[in-house]
Amino acid sequence: MKITGKTKVIGIIGWPVSHSLSPVMHNAAFEYLGLDFCYVPFAVREGSIDVVLRAIPALNIVGLNVTVPHKEHVLPFLSEVSKEAAMMGAVNTIKVVEDRLIGYNTDGIGFISAVEEAGHPVKGLSLLILGAGGAAKAVVFAAAGKGAKEITIANRTFAKAKSLKEQTEKYFHPVKIEAIGMGCDELKNIAGKIDMIINTTSLGLKRGDPSPIPKEFLHKGLFICDLIYNPPETELIRDAKDSGINHMNGMGMLLHQGGAAFKLWTDTEPPIEVMRKALEETLMSDE
Ligand SMILES: NC(=O)c1ccc[n+]([C@@H]2O[C@H](COP(=O)([O-])OP(=O)(O)OC[C@H]3O[C@@H](n4cnc5c(N)ncnc54)[C@H](OP(=O)(O)O)[C@@H]3O)[C@@H](O)[C@H]2O)c1
């Protein structure tokens, strides 16, 4: 990659940000298409977001990804936000247009594209979402918008599951949404009646973490999706594999949310296979 005085800069802001795979994925895409862009990580601490966002147009930075812990905090500094981002109250992508910062959220479409690519569209299905944080919200809103029949949100902190249920019902009232805790009895009661489980908890990020749902509650007809991609194989994915259950990890969602952001910044179709290869190679070299 040759950086010149004309190269357009895109960045990711987050804390920590050193683990992010987005630079490798986007830079591979820019290089492949011969686009004069580069993508750099900016480690931005909580509390500095106002200073940073004010400087973005002044530095002629043309786009950003936003990750933990800033996805909600950036909203007051944006000139405009997309319908999805406004509904979620969270932004993961910013495009700079004539000094104006426009916010989007591509996490939901990333999830939908990944399950569709895996041959498991959510339309008409009963889903069990484990977790009720930011990723759960993106998945629940996107799945409700795509015609999931029923969505049960199970979270360790029940109040957060209930709050996400209520927020979802405000926008997608025909979809049946339930909130439950993550106790064994609650999970056991629901597990037999569902078509797809999506783990959006951070349980599995650390090697040695247990699965968020006991293996004996899983059945053959399920599709299991773990949003965690590093490590590529969590205990939940191992249980699915052992039981012969169709499954995928979170790499597809990461890839497709990145593809959607790439298109917003460059007005060019993302070279998805190039981006996928860059991610896979980096994840393999991490192991
Ligand atoms: N593949 C992708 O593109 C993608 C995109 C976004 C996120 N993710 C992944 O999704 C996961 C969640 O991210 P997030 O942004 O939603 O985080 P978050 O907002 O902090 O939410 C974390 C969730 O995990 C639950 N949790 C944490 N520790 C737990 C434990 N020991 N037992 C049971 N539940 C536990 C929390 O429950 P409480 O409410 O009870 O604390 C909460 O529901 C992370 O692993 C992240 O890497 C993947």
Side-chain angles (χ1 to χ4, degrees), residues 131-135 155-157 160 200-203 205 227-229 250 253-254:
N155 197 43
R156 178 177 64 175
T157 311
K160 280 171 69 183
T200 76
T201 74
S202 33
L203 209 50
L205 271 182
L227 296 199
I228 293 171
Y229 51 82
M253 175 171 169
L254 174 72

Side-chain angles (χ1 to χ4, degrees), residues 110-111 113-114 117 248-257 276:
F111 168 74
S113 303
E117 183 179 69
M248 68 171 208
N249 71 12
M251 207 202 72
M253 175 171 169
L254 174 72
L255 171 67
H256 289 288
Q257 65 73 32
R276 191 192 313 273

Side-chain angles (χ1 to χ4, degrees), residues 25 27 46 50 55 58 71 80 100 102 163-164 167 178 207 222 230 244 263 270 286:
M25 163 169 76
N27 286 323
E46 212 158 357
D50 54 339
K71 285 186 181 184
E80 210 181 296
R100 298 171 72 247
I102 307 179
S163 160
L164 180 52
Q167 284 178 57
E178 293 296 339
R207 289 182 199 266
L222 277 170
N230 195 9
K263 191 159 182 195
D286 269 8

Side-chain angles (χ1 to χ4, degrees), residues 71-84:
K71 285 186 181 184
E72 287 94 21
H73 303 157
V74 296
L75 274 146
F77 304 98
L78 305 179
S79 315
E80 210 181 296
V81 284
S82 71
K83 197 176 93 207
E84 289 79 14

